[in-house]
Amino acid sequence: MSATRPGVYGLLVIALSGVLIAAPARATVSAGSTPTALHSETEGDAAADRQAVSREIERFRSSSISIGQAMAIAEARHAGATTADISFDGGSGIPVYRVKTLHNDRIWRYTINAATGEVMGGEAALPLAQLGLEDRSNLAVLGSIRHRLADAVRVAEQAASGKAISGGLVRERGRLNFAIVVISGDDLKEVLLEPPGARGK
């Protein structure tokens, strides 16, 4: 299961040291100079893409519910659940968070109203057995470490001086990381945090 990422944009990588609940973690911040979310064939498409991302950022900024609150709402549906993936979606109708939690060998999916915190349309569950091997492996690691996505969001927001708009698990070069996308000013920054205890799993 991978984090929702804002596509490919020009990246400037800055190495930072981060902390997840007083345990060492390595953090890398990648920043785009403009909030462009997609590759474009023409300059007109690039301008339209920048405008679409700018509208998404504005809808996010006007939302009452934070990403941390949305995770807490989804996790409260099942005692002991943990968030595996979350993303803001302001593209159609009511702005919402799309949240996936892990509980009892199932992935639970929720749509949470970003203005009210209401869970919309019920919940849907998918057994882990129906996921691919890599996703099952990543989620097994998530279940075995004490650090949560909410912890990574707090660290990423401090490291990138902004507010998180999405986050989840990614595996890069064989290492499992929390990938958090943060809005900082008019830029999107991706913060990668390797949870202590995840190395080699």
Side-chain angles (χ1 to χ4, degrees), residues 58-98:
E58 286 309 309
R59 291 195 88 182
F60 173 76
R61 286 183 173 146
S62 66
S63 297
S64 304
I65 303 297
S66 71
I67 199 169
Q69 290 169 315
M71 285 188 283
I73 291 165
E75 290 174 359
R77 304 288 286 195
H78 296 100
T82 185
T83 302
D85 188 83
I86 185 168
S87 61
F88 177 81
D89 181 357
S92 60
I94 300 168
V96 297
Y97 288 99
R98 303 204 184 275

Side-chain angles (χ1 to χ4, degrees), residues 75-128:
E75 290 174 359
R77 304 288 286 195
H78 296 100
T82 185
T83 302
D85 188 83
I86 185 168
S87 61
F88 177 81
D89 181 357
S92 60
I94 300 168
V96 297
Y97 288 99
R98 303 204 184 275
V99 189
K100 296 175 186 168
T101 64
L102 174 64
H103 182 257
N104 284 349
D105 293 328
R106 291 183 181 274
I107 288 291
W108 298 84
R109 296 178 184 180
Y110 302 97
T111 302
I112 297 174
N113 186 311
T116 66
E118 174 189 2
V119 176
M120 301 170 59
E123 60 188 19
L126 178 68
L128 292 183

